[in-house]
Amino acid sequence: MSLATLREQVVEANLDLVKRGLVLATFGNASGIDRELGLIVIKPSGVPYEDLKADHLAVTDLHGTVLEGSLRPSSDLPTHAALYRAFPMIGGIAHTHSAYATSWAQARKPIPCLGTTHADHFHGAIPVTEVMSDEEIAGEYEANTGVAIIRAFEKIDPLKVPAVLVANHGPFAWGLGARQASETAWMLEAVARMAYLTMQINSSPDSVSKALHDRHFLRKHGKNAYYGQPRS
């Protein structure tokens, strides 16, 4: 993939977040990475989405050093960079302040898998990070946010559960590319809303069975997936 193509994909991923109602004002961002070149492309900080163009994007290395672009990159760049370094299989990241997923993050509660919509996309509950210490917040806050996310995945496969809730902050989601990360953020918001509504009807619902959870996830993911049409 050319860097120009990656830039266009990252612009579209950011605009997808807007189209799907996942961002407030300029809050939120999406990025993508070229693994061969070791380059991250990310939305600039505070630029209105309606004005966003490919040449506005910042290009950085894996440690967040800006290599191209005249605009300041997203303030969440150190979080993205930490995740790209820790999870070498992902190719895109999206961060939003979508209402329902953010509400679960503020409640510091993981989102349980209560049905097959969740199971189709996430092979487990959506984890929530530990609360960051005052020292972590006062220090390299955004980089330490990445560290908190990485800690939450010590026993979780980030491709099977491609999203997280940062305690008192909001969701991060990822995928094999930037636009897939944006779609994951969309699915995350949907299951967050469904879980909330389910718990208004039944305050103590049972999680979906392992058999049903596995069946729905594995029919869409992995070598034996059979949902949809074969890819050439």
Side-chain angles (χ1 to χ4, degrees), residues 33-104:
I33 186 170
D34 183 318
R35 288 289 181 183
E36 290 186 4
L37 297 177
L39 297 177
I40 299 169
V41 176
I42 193 168
K43 178 183 177 289
S45 180
V47 172
Y49 286 91
E50 60 267 26
D51 298 334
L52 188 63
K53 295 181 174 58
D55 59 3
H56 292 156
L57 302 178
V59 179
T60 80
D61 65 16
L62 271 170
H63 295 279
T65 301
V66 177
L67 304 175
E68 292 184 25
S70 60
L71 298 177
R72 182 183 299 169
S74 167
S75 57
D76 292 307
L77 170 61
T79 308
H80 289 240
L83 297 183
Y84 284 129
R85 294 194 304 270
F87 304 151
M89 68 294 288
I90 69 174
I93 298 170
H95 170 51
T96 77
H97 290 256
S98 57
Y100 284 88
T102 299
S103 296
W104 284 89

Side-chain angles (χ1 to χ4, degrees), residues 112-130:
C113 182
L114 301 177
T116 61
T117 307
H118 183 130
D120 281 338
H121 299 281
F122 305 100
H123 204 195
I126 309 302
V128 61
T129 67
E130 296 178 354

Side-chain angles (χ1 to χ4, degrees), residues 130-176:
E130 296 178 354
V131 175
M132 294 172 64
S133 69
D134 291 349
E135 290 75 19
E136 288 174 317
I137 294 167
E140 296 182 355
Y141 169 61
E142 290 82 7
N144 288 333
T145 299
V147 172
I149 293 171
I150 294 162
R151 282 199 300 258
F153 280 80
E154 288 178 351
K155 297 181 180 180
I156 301 173
D157 184 337
L159 283 185
K160 291 183 177 179
V161 184
V164 68
L165 307 172
V166 178
N168 299 113
H169 183 172
F172 282 79
W174 47 83
L176 297 179

